[in-house]
Amino acid sequence: MSEETIFSKIIRKEIPSDMLYQDELVTAFRDITPQAPSHILIIPNKVIATVDDVTTDDELTLGRMFTVAAKIARDEGISDDGYRLIVNCKDHGGQEVYHIHMHLLGGRPLGAMVKR
Ligand code: 5GP
């Protein structure tokens, strides 16, 4: 059983966030430290610590994260120009919060995918 993080409190609305979307599987809210004009986090309501902890039981939830990302991108008006989805995994991936989250970033050209 994975441990809860601050994201569980955001899902339960125990702490404030700029929440854009919530359903029975996923929640989306604006990142507190935006790296682009649109920077939104899409997360499963269930705690899954990292991509390394994903199982086949999670496939519906993970698919929902993509359809919600695409919907929010359209709502943000960034679909035509394009955007980036990032899921960091563990230390080398740069993961800070151990509750899987998809970063949706857009609103400007984002440059190279990784530092060289
Ligand atoms: P990671 O580095 O784990 O992929 O990304 C974690 C993200 O969560 C960071 O971009 C960080 O700004 C964001 N974050 C951390 N704590 C909070 C919070 O309490 N509220 C919101 N909205 N975002 C947070």
Side-chain angles (χ1 to χ4, degrees):
M1 178 74 183
S2 298
E3 284 188 24
E4 288 196 349
T5 71
I6 194 154
F7 286 179
S8 291
K9 290 190 165 65
I10 288 176
I11 291 165
R12 293 195 295 263
K13 301 181 176 144
E14 292 168 7
I15 61 168
S17 74
D18 189 350
M19 194 177 286
L20 302 178
Y21 180 91
Q22 187 166 53
D23 65 20
E24 78 284 9
L25 293 178
V26 306
T27 298
F29 52 93
R30 290 190 194 279
D31 196 291
I32 205 166
T33 313
Q35 306 294 315
S38 291
H39 187 174
I40 292 130
L41 301 175
I42 299 120
I43 69 175
N45 295 339
K46 166 191 171 189
V47 181
I48 306 169
T50 78
V51 173
D52 196 37
D53 300 297
V54 162
T55 72
T56 52
D57 289 346
D58 300 319
E59 287 172 357
L60 181 63
T61 300
L62 298 172
R64 183 72 58 86
M65 288 166 68
F66 275 89
T67 52
V68 169
K71 174 199 165 6
I72 291 173
R74 287 191 294 272
D75 292 348
E76 291 281 296
I78 61 174
S79 286
D80 287 349
D81 286 334
Y83 50 88
R84 186 170 291 161
L85 301 175
I86 299 173
V87 182
N88 295 322
C89 182
K90 299 186 182 173
D91 188 34
H92 281 199
Q95 184 175 5
E96 289 173 1
V97 180
Y98 277 62
H99 180 139
I100 281 188
H101 45 283
M102 178 185 279
H103 295 258
L104 164 60
L105 293 148
R108 66 168 171 80
L110 295 166
M113 190 167 65
V114 291
K115 250 191 258 174
R116 292 171 199 279

